[in-house]
């Protein structure tokens, strides 16, 4: 059977596109739902999908969208402007409203295949915003009372026993915007990265989870698929903890040397000083030069308040986080005299899941909800989820972010995002450390695996080799 099996580290929490807010869910949404706009292999850009084209009005306060004539539900019925308008509007109509839909004031249908999106303020990257899985159309009808009418190339066939994974099957003749992929996709949950590597070796899976790689594993001969992606590793002080004071956050920001941290996990992650670097294709500069690293200033600020003698760091227990926390611990003790103890948390709890109590610091992976650097910053705006969770608010930052959102020209927008991030780091609710590289070990039988800038993949690009090298055969799940 031409089945492709991927390792996942946690089961997705929902099948509904409107509720997807985590990494594994994005993978699933990519299979079950066609997006309004598709993420491009070029960082920060999108392509037509259900929406064939988008045009910004002169005022910057309206966009006209054209629905592709080929856009179809999985049952073959056409997707109309009314369906897309409903998908966009449902986010602002949710109780309390969705922060992702905050720039959108209203949606007007313009015939069966067109609509106009009215904005609260100029927003130059609306197509990028609308590529987020939560805007994908889903329909409720007498035949689909639970809103499970979908448009993607795959549908859910069932779950593996014991909630160990999901089985997806291709929808016959359902590809409108992209070619057909493998007839069956399995997302198999493992208990550890080491188990994933073992399952790859015995032919059970075709690709390992792309964010769980130890440095020493790269020394072997196993083929890999890899790409730097728009995901950051950050250190987040507990907003109600002993290191929540502004002085403590500034001391932590200045004490850490990102170049040295990158060297500690060399080959897996790279130093990160500013979010905009995640979208810059050109060389961002010497990674050994850290603009935030200032041990003397860190020590001076640290002494200005009464620091605790010991702090704890929660971190998701998969490689290379243990090695990274060890390097962070060593630097903080050398510069600040702060002793820290790492506390591993469950393998599946990561990507923005920040425990509200317990540890003083949390090591987290953070991804942008849409493919643009403004998406990385937007959660910190007043009313955004991270602003609420981390008790952050700064009018100057909000103004700087709005200025960046207005700019259609990419290089100017990246520079404006850097300035906005500099304002954010004055309070440092989240301290950037490293940029993630998606790295999967891949079976020789799997062809065509490549990562998009978000870390997602296009399942329809995959294929199985007609002749498997070394006679490796897939195992039975």
């Amino acid at each position: 059977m031409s089945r492709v099996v991927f390792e996942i580290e946690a089961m997705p929490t929902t099948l509904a596109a409107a509720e997807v807010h985590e990494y594994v869910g994005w993978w699933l949404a990519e299979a079950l739902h066609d997006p309004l706009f598709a993420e491009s292999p070029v960082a920060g850009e999108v392509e037509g999908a259900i929406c064939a084209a988008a045009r910004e009005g002169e005022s910057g306060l309206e966009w006209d969208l054209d629905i592709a004539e080929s856009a179809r539900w999985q049952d073959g019925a056409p997707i109309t402007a009314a369906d897309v308008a409903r998908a966009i509007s449902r986010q602002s109509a949710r109780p309390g409203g969705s922060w992702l839909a905050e720039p959108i004031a209203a949606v007007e249908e313009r015939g069966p295949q067109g609509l106009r999106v009215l904005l609260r303020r100029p927003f130059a990257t609306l197509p990028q915003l609308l590529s987020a899985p939560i805007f994908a159309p889903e329909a409720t009808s007498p035949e689909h009372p639970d809103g499970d009418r979908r448009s993607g190339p795959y549908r859910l066939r069932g779950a593996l026993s014991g909630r160990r994974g999901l089985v997806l099957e291709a929808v016959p003749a359902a590809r409108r915007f992209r070619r057909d992929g493998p007839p069956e996709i399995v997302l198999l949950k493992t208990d550890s990265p080491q188990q994933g590597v073992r399952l790859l070796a015995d032919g059970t899976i075709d690709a390992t989870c792309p964010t769980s790689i130890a440095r020493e594993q790269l020394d072997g001969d196993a083929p890999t698929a890899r790409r730097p992606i728009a995901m950051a590793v950050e250190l987040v002080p507990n907003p109600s903890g002993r290191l929540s004071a502004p002085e403590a956050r500034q001391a932590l920001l200045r004490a850490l040397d990102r170049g040295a941290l990158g060297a500690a996990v060399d080959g897996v992650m790279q130093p990160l000083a500013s979010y905009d670097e995640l979208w810059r294709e050109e060389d961002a500069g010497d990674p050994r030069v850290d603009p935030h690293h200032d041990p003397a200033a860190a020590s001076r600020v640290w002494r200005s308040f009464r620091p605790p003698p010991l702090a704890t760091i929660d971190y998701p227990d998969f490689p290379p986080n243990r090695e990274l926390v060890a390097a962070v611990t060593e630097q903080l003790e050398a510069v600040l005299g702060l002793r820290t103890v790492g506390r591993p948390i469950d393998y599946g709890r990561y990507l923005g899941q920040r425990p509200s109590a317990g540890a003083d610091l949390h090591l987290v992976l953070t991804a942008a909800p849409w493919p643009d650097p403004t998406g990385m910053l937007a959660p910190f705006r007043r009313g955004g989820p991270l602003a609420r969770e981390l008790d952050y608010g700064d009018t100057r930052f909000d103004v700087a972010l709005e200025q960046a959102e207005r700019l259609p020209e990419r290089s100017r927008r990246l520079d404006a995002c850097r300035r906005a991030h500099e304002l954010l780091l004055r309070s440092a609710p989240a301290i950037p450390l490293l940029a993630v590289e998606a790295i999967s070990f891949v079976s020789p039988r799997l062809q065509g695996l490549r990562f998009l800038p978000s870390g997602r993949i296009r399942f329809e690009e995959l294929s199985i080799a007609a002749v498997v090298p070394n006679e490796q055969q897939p195992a039975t799940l």
Side-chain angles (χ1 to χ4, degrees):
M1 176 183 290
S2 297
R3 175 180 63 194
V4 175
V5 183
F6 288 94
E7 177 196 16
I8 57 174
E9 69 292 307
M11 288 288 285
T13 57
T14 179
L15 300 181
E19 304 294 334
V20 172
H21 296 286
E22 40 84 20
Y23 187 63
V24 179
W26 287 346
W27 271 44
L28 186 59
E30 186 77 13
L32 299 180
H33 308 276
D34 279 320
L36 298 185
F37 293 90
E39 183 182 9
S40 167
V42 179
E45 297 184 9
V46 293
E47 304 168 347
I50 288 176
C51 292
R55 296 175 299 281
E56 185 178 16
E58 292 185 5
S59 67
L61 293 174
E62 58 187 40
W63 282 77
D64 289 333
L65 308 181
D66 298 334
I67 311 305
E69 293 183 2
S70 57
R72 295 287 187 276
W73 296 105
Q74 289 181 342
D75 60 11
I79 295 176
T80 66
D83 295 321
V84 175
R86 187 181 306 112
I88 298 172
S89 299
R90 74 184 169 202
Q91 291 300 321
S92 56
R94 296 172 66 187
S98 169
W99 69 275
L100 279 170
E102 182 271 334
I104 299 171
V107 183
E108 301 175 348
E109 295 176 40
R110 296 293 177 106
Q113 298 300 119
L115 65 153
R116 175 164 293 175
V117 180
L118 306 178
L119 303 176
R120 303 182 193 281
R121 62 180 184 277
F123 199 90
T125 56
L126 183 69
Q128 283 88 333
L129 173 64
L130 295 181
S131 73
I134 68 166
F135 292 108
E138 289 176 291
T140 299
S141 67
E143 296 80 17
H144 303 273
D146 298 322
D148 59 354
R149 192 186 199 192
R150 302 186 178 101
S151 60
Y154 289 87
R155 59 191 171 205
L156 180 65
R157 195 178 77 189
L160 298 178
S161 61
R163 288 185 54 80
R164 301 297 300 175
L166 300 173
V167 181
L168 310 178
E169 62 181 1
V171 178
R175 254 352 300 118
R176 324 295 184 232
F177 316 113
R178 298 166 287 184
R179 63 179 183 269
D180 291 334
E184 188 173 281
I185 299 288
V186 177
L187 303 179
L188 178 64
K189 181 183 180 300
T190 59
D191 297 319
S192 70
Q194 293 76 17
Q195 183 187 21
V197 171
R198 291 195 299 270
L199 293 177
L200 180 75
D202 69 18
T204 300
I205 66 174
D206 296 298
T208 62
C209 176
T211 56
S212 306
I213 298 294
R215 174 65 185 91
E216 60 271 14
Q217 292 175 316
L218 293 177
D219 295 333
D221 297 327
T224 60
R226 58 191 302 171
R227 175 182 182 150
I229 60 175
M231 187 181 293
V233 180
E234 301 187 276
L235 197 63
V236 178
N238 188 326
S240 59
R242 296 174 296 175
L243 299 178
S244 61
E247 298 89 349
R249 296 198 297 264
Q250 276 300 311
L252 294 169
L253 175 68
R254 303 298 175 187
L256 294 169
D257 181 352
R258 287 146 193 83
L261 295 179
V265 292
D266 182 37
V268 181
M269 299 180 185
Q270 301 300 323
L272 179 69
S274 181
Y275 291 155
D276 65 288
E277 296 170 6
L278 298 170
W279 278 267
R280 292 187 186 272
E281 299 287 349
E282 71 275 13
D283 185 3
D286 189 343
R288 295 169 297 179
V289 178
D290 184 348
H292 305 309
H293 185 223
D294 189 339
S299 180
R300 186 168 57 251
V301 173
W302 187 251
R303 293 194 302 267
S304 68
F305 81 114
R306 301 177 64 179
L310 181 70
T312 53
I313 305 177
D314 276 353
Y315 65 92
D317 193 14
F318 57 82
N321 294 331
R322 189 179 296 270
E323 296 84 353
L324 176 56
V325 167
V328 168
T329 296
E330 181 179 348
Q331 289 191 22
L332 293 181
E333 185 165 4
V335 176
L336 304 178
L338 175 65
R339 292 180 56 235
T340 56
V341 176
R343 303 194 317 188
I345 61 177
D346 181 71
Y347 173 63
R349 293 175 58 200
Y350 80 108
L351 194 64
Q353 297 186 19
R354 299 173 173 87
S356 59
D360 300 295
L361 300 166
H362 309 297
L363 188 78
V364 301
L365 276 71
T366 307
W370 67 85
D372 190 76
T374 56
M376 204 77 170
L377 295 165
F380 293 97
R381 174 190 278 117
R382 290 180 190 272
L386 296 186
R388 294 192 302 268
E389 184 177 344
L390 303 178
D391 194 24
Y392 173 76
D394 188 330
T395 301
R396 296 170 300 173
F397 167 77
D398 292 349
V399 171
L401 178 56
E402 285 192 14
Q403 291 173 345
E405 291 171 340
R406 294 170 178 264
L407 298 172
E409 204 275 312
R410 174 186 171 87
S411 63
R412 292 182 62 202
R413 189 166 67 255
L414 286 170
D415 291 342
C417 285
R418 177 176 286 262
R419 292 191 292 270
H421 196 207
E422 289 171 355
L423 289 170
L424 180 68
L425 290 178
R426 292 183 182 182
S427 296
I431 299 167
L433 301 179
L434 299 172
V436 175
E437 183 173 6
I439 307 174
S440 279
F441 293 112
V442 181
S443 164
R445 67 189 290 267
L446 181 61
Q447 306 294 313
L449 176 62
R450 63 169 178 166
F451 293 105
L452 295 170
S454 66
R456 299 197 292 268
I457 63 173
R458 290 182 175 175
F459 290 107
E460 71 280 357
E461 294 182 348
L462 303 176
S463 62
I464 300 298
V467 178
V468 179
N470 302 321
E471 298 183 351
Q472 181 185 17
Q473 298 297 324
T476 300
L477 293 175

